[in-house]
Amino acid sequence: MLRVAVVGSGPSGCYTAQSLVQLDPQVRVDVLDRLPCPYGLVRYGVAPDHEKIKSLQNNLRAVLEHERVRFLGAVRVGPDGVPPARLRELYHAVVYCVGAATDRRLGIPGEELPGSWSATEFVSWYSAHPDAADTGFLRGVRSAVVVGVGNVAVDVTRMLARGAGELSPTDMPHGALTALAASEVTDIHMVGRRGPSQARFTTKELRELATLPDTGVKVDAAEAALDPEFTDPAALSPPRRRNVEVLRGWTGPARPGVRRLIRLRFFLRPVELLGRDGRVGAVRFERTAPDGRGGVTGTGRFEVIEARLVLRSVGYRGVPLEGLPFDAATGTVPHLAGRVLRGGAVAPGEYVAGWIKRGPTGVIGTNRSCAKETVTSLLEDAPSLTRRNLPGDPLTALRAQGVDPVAWRGWQAIERAEARLGASLGRGVVKLPDWEALLAAARDEGG
């Protein structure tokens, strides 16, 4: 009987487990996660007002409730946890689905100033990630700059403009909801270094900005027209052409009587964050221009936009996992069809799937085919892998080492505690925001 450990319970981990049990009628799969809660970025990355996408949790739940799949939460793999080499001793195969755990940086002066954050840190806060801290993101902020023009940038821009009445029905933690309700933000600038035809957001996400109550959206027509394909989008792909059509509709006057204004800016590259009173006070941008090869070049002209909050959303990177090879240039683990490569040779029993395999690309559904490729490789290798005798049930061995996993019943206890918390606040389900509360709830399996 093949025993497999899947490290990570987000979409790539769950799809890996699903493919395994579908394609091998005997396999036993343990899905390990550093957090006590499953679902990865579906729980901690999807915006709380995107209920349709968040409902994907129901599909992932079915995988983790399969009779041959076991969820083991609060199990750290790597430093201060279970070494990868120990996992290889306990399982015939280990599949790492750990995602891309850090943000790209701007690499400009002033980036370390208080008030300068990655968009992911902001998302983690309003999504109740237990590692997130309430850093007073919005305290004293009237103007904010979001650097980036992808879907995450649109998400955080939308959250900055949302009102408490719209967010109260979501599972947003109460502390974040209270802070957003008290927000004094009136101006939000979402800024890209290239033109509108090259923006990476999807049209559906983009259109949502115009549906926000008491909020206007403005695109500077002259600035956008620096992009030739904004003026004539005929040669663009259909998705990018739709984006341009939406943006062109926002070049007129903003809706009157709005409380907040979202300004979409293009051809501006951040070169410095300027401090004021001990924190960020403004962003200095250089005007860019198309270089004729799909990129941009600096013009030597500069503009300053005031902002007490700066959120960078310029991409993600994988981080090395102790005990595994790592390609720093791509932020991925070297692999061959999902098989981990060490020094160019296949490492028996070690596999990768998801962003740590292919980089931070694709949508949630992309993880399904990615996982299937890895599982196909693993099952091709299974006859040789299962020749090795294992020391028994891996969970017994992990507990003997002092590991105390949160099992599926513990996760269900967390769900019940979040439902009770929401009821006490006159809301629906409300997420528990910290490690202490989550682990205390998990221990109350009969509650």
Side-chain angles (χ1 to χ4, degrees):
M1 179 181 67
L2 177 67
R3 280 196 177 273
V4 180
V6 173
V7 181
S9 67
S12 62
C14 287
Y15 291 144
T16 297
Q18 183 181 55
S19 289
L20 281 165
V21 296
Q22 286 177 342
L23 297 174
D24 185 332
Q26 301 296 322
V27 69
R28 296 290 187 273
V29 183
D30 285 348
V31 179
L32 285 58
D33 202 292
R34 183 178 70 85
L35 300 175
C37 308
Y39 311 137
L41 284 179
V42 177
R43 176 175 168 89
Y44 289 119
V46 174
D49 60 342
H50 278 179
E51 290 296 329
K52 185 174 182 180
I53 303 176
K54 289 174 73 66
S55 69
L56 178 62
Q57 292 183 17
N58 297 327
N59 301 85
L60 304 184
R61 171 187 292 276
V63 176
L64 296 176
E65 288 183 334
H66 190 281
E67 60 183 4
R68 288 183 282 121
V69 176
R70 204 164 44 178
F71 173 70
L72 303 177
V75 178
R76 185 182 294 270
V77 176
D80 303 319
V82 182
R86 180 57 174 156
L87 283 184
R88 282 286 295 115
E89 294 171 357
L90 298 177
Y91 296 89
H92 293 115
V94 183
V95 187
Y96 294 93
C97 307
V98 293
T102 191
D103 298 86
R104 293 184 183 274
R105 300 184 65 80
L106 299 174
I108 61 176
E111 194 168 6
E112 303 300 331
L113 282 168
S116 166
W117 307 98
S118 72
T120 298
E121 289 171 305
F122 188 60
V123 170
S124 294
W125 168 68
Y126 67 62
S127 299
H129 193 293
D131 290 341
D134 183 354
T135 56
F137 286 102
L138 304 175
R139 200 170 299 130
V141 175
R142 293 186 178 276
S143 180
V145 163
V146 178
V147 180
V149 284
N151 279 347
V152 174
V154 175
D155 277 350
V156 298
T157 295
R158 195 178 65 255
M159 287 299 106
L160 286 168
R162 281 279 192 207
E166 304 153 67
L167 294 172
S168 183
T170 74
D171 61 5
M172 179 178 283
H174 209 60
L177 179 68
T178 302
L180 286 165
S183 168
E184 298 178 333
V185 173
T186 57
D187 289 281
I188 307 163
H189 309 259
M190 189 166 69
V191 186
R193 64 185 177 89
R194 297 194 293 178
S197 71
Q198 297 170 303
R200 303 297 295 273
F201 37 60
T202 57
T203 308
K204 180 178 181 296
E205 292 260 355
L206 182 63
R207 284 181 175 141
E208 284 186 86
L209 296 179
T211 68
L212 302 173
D214 301 320
T215 302
V217 187
K218 176 67 176 170
V219 173
D220 185 300
E223 183 175 77
L226 297 171
D227 181 349
E229 291 174 311
F230 183 82
T231 304
D232 180 10
L236 292 174
S237 65
R240 293 195 175 189
R241 188 164 61 247
R242 287 192 293 269
N243 282 345
V244 165
E245 289 168 357
V246 172
L247 293 168
R248 289 170 74 172
W250 294 338
T251 56
R255 193 165 76 238
V258 298
R259 291 180 55 235
R260 295 186 180 93
L261 183 60
I262 298 171
R263 303 174 190 267
L264 277 74
R265 304 293 309 276
F266 298 98
F267 293 115
L268 291 173
R269 176 169 57 201
V271 294
E272 184 179 8
L273 303 190
L274 306 174
R276 183 182 303 160
D277 302 326
R279 62 173 291 153
V280 67
V283 186
R284 187 168 182 253
F285 290 93
E286 181 182 16
R287 169 68 63 191
T288 62
D291 64 5
R293 300 184 301 275
V296 292
T297 185
T299 65
R301 302 195 306 274
F302 297 89
E303 178 178 337
V304 173
I305 298 177
E306 292 194 7
R308 301 287 278 175
L309 172 67
V310 177
L311 300 173
R312 68 177 185 274
S313 180
V314 291
Y316 300 94
R317 283 189 59 80
V319 296
L321 184 63
E322 184 178 305
L324 282 182
F326 187 73
D327 183 343
T330 62
T332 62
V333 171
H335 71 93
L336 177 65
R339 298 176 176 95
V340 171
L341 297 176
R342 292 182 179 272
V346 170
E350 294 182 307
Y351 303 85
V352 285
W355 279 3
I356 200 64
K357 170 186 173 184
R358 67 181 191 274
T361 61
V363 296
I364 290 175
T366 309
N367 291 293
R368 192 184 294 273
S369 57
C370 175
K372 189 171 183 179
E373 179 191 55
T374 295
V375 168
T376 299
S377 296
L378 192 161
L379 294 180
E380 287 174 357
D381 302 339
S384 62
L385 297 174
T386 51
R387 293 193 193 112
R388 182 169 59 90
N389 292 324
L390 300 181
D393 185 348
L395 181 55
T396 302
L398 289 171
R399 283 177 169 153
Q401 291 180 221
V403 178
D404 184 19
V406 171
W408 190 251
R409 287 190 305 172
W411 160 240
Q412 291 174 314
I414 291 172
E415 289 184 302
R416 291 193 295 271
E418 293 184 334
R420 290 195 299 270
L421 175 60
S424 73
L425 297 168
R427 298 173 57 194
V429 170
V430 173
K431 287 180 182 174
L432 297 172
D434 58 77
W435 278 97
E436 183 179 1
L438 288 167
L439 293 177
R443 287 191 290 269
D444 185 23
E445 294 184 5

